[in-house]
Amino acid sequence: MARRALPPNVSGQRVRVALMEARPTGLHMHQLIRASELTRSQVRRGISYLRDTATELDLTPLIWDRRHGYRFSADPEDWAAYELRQFRKELSFIRRIVTGCVLPHQQQRPEDKAVKLMLGQLNGIESSFEYLIMQLETARKTA
């Protein structure tokens, strides 16, 4: 029997309750599914909802790491480590787009204006992320 779709705020509330009950430890996806009695997609939708509304709901940041899973941490060092990991992940993603798609596109169609625009913008984004990561790493070392 198929489950009916829950609104994101309902999924988010059930995920939030499960994570609050698990504090200060976190829950991995399979634990969140069991604790919230939601499907994997409903848990993901709930996590997205919580991340989108964390400020409005006055929550501490919702972070994830391999050791603890998803959790609301009160430790700013945990937040900084999570943020740094996210920026590194996005930088890797951008680099893969460039090397796996945009550069081969450029090799095949060197005069394509769209590929020139993409490369220019993506190079700027890559530089910005590299600089941001460098600054965050320096700030963490001096803190």
Side-chain angles (χ1 to χ4, degrees), residues 52-118:
D52 291 343
T53 60
T55 303
E56 295 169 31
L57 300 174
D58 199 30
L59 298 172
T60 60
L62 175 57
I63 62 172
W64 179 90
D65 62 46
R66 283 189 173 134
R67 181 173 173 218
H68 300 100
Y70 292 96
R71 64 191 170 115
F72 293 110
S73 174
D75 185 355
E77 180 59 31
D78 290 340
W79 310 338
Y82 176 76
E83 292 159 351
L84 184 57
R85 283 192 311 273
Q86 292 304 110
F87 284 117
R88 284 182 179 144
K89 180 175 119 182
E90 293 302 319
L91 178 58
S92 293
F93 179 75
I94 291 165
R95 286 180 173 155
R96 285 190 182 109
I97 290 172
V98 170
T99 60
C101 187
V102 180
L103 288 177
H105 179 169
Q106 181 190 39
Q107 287 175 339
Q108 297 297 314
R109 307 253 193 258
E111 297 307 316
D112 188 330
K113 290 180 182 180
V115 77
K116 289 178 183 180
L117 176 64
M118 285 186 282

Side-chain angles (χ1 to χ4, degrees), residues 16-17 46 111 136:
R16 187 187 69 77
V17 167
E111 297 307 316
L136 292 172

